[in-house]
Amino acid sequence: MSLNVSDPEIGNAYEDVRDDKTSTDWAFFDFADGKPDRLKVAGTGSGGLSEFVGQLKPEIAGWGYVRLNLSNDEYSQRIKFVLVPWCGESVGIMRKAKLSIQIADVKNILRNFHIEVPASQVQDLDEKDIMTRLRRAGGANYDRQTSTY
């Protein structure tokens, strides 16, 4: 069964996170009340990864989209995007099973991201670890003198 992603607010929230002219740097998408196969915007914010992680709950499942600023110095500012498939520890087994199929529909909307960080606990979303993964995914490392990877 495919996931209904037709709500125009989903695309609007995605584009808002991608837009450098807005302060919005994350969005979270989960399921509409009483509609387990319909995606909706559950929240957006401008408080960075820490604010995003703060709103995740063990009983919910969904997908997050986060904009992060990766920089080695003041001259090298790069915007990177992270897709976060979130499945809290208290989510039922049937919902967990559906998530693995529904992510294909989500990726048709949230198309552009640099890395995917699946998480079921907030500890899985450590900012330092995510930034290291983004640097590794970025290819060339011109900051090798101070880099630890």
Side-chain angles (χ1 to χ4, degrees), residues 54-106:
Q55 59 90 41
L56 298 174
K57 305 285 184 265
E59 65 276 359
I60 62 171
W63 294 271
Y65 191 69
V66 182
R67 179 177 63 198
L68 295 172
N69 185 359
L70 180 67
S71 62
N72 292 334
D73 56 45
E74 63 184 284
Y75 303 108
S76 176
Q77 303 290 318
R78 294 169 288 169
I79 300 298
K80 300 293 182 179
F81 297 95
V82 179
L83 177 64
V84 180
W86 170 259
C87 185
E89 295 178 309
S90 301
V91 172
I93 192 74
M94 289 305 291
R95 168 59 58 209
K96 287 180 183 180
K98 284 185 177 184
L99 290 175
S100 64
I101 297 167
Q102 292 170 329
I103 193 164
D105 295 319
V106 171

Side-chain angles (χ1 to χ4, degrees), residues 1-7 10-11 14-15 18 27-31 36-41 61-66 82-86 95 98-113 116:
M1 176 177 266
S2 68
L3 183 63
N4 182 339
V5 293
S6 63
D7 182 353
I10 296 168
Y14 166 73
E15 292 299 335
R18 291 194 55 77
F28 187 72
F29 309 91
D30 69 3
F31 303 96
D37 292 321
R38 180 172 293 169
L39 198 66
K40 70 172 176 66
V41 178
W63 294 271
Y65 191 69
V66 182
V82 179
L83 177 64
V84 180
W86 170 259
R95 168 59 58 209
K98 284 185 177 184
L99 290 175
S100 64
I101 297 167
Q102 292 170 329
I103 193 164
D105 295 319
V106 171
K107 286 181 179 179
N108 284 332
I109 301 295
L110 311 179
R111 298 176 300 280
N112 299 305
F113 55 92
E116 184 176 334

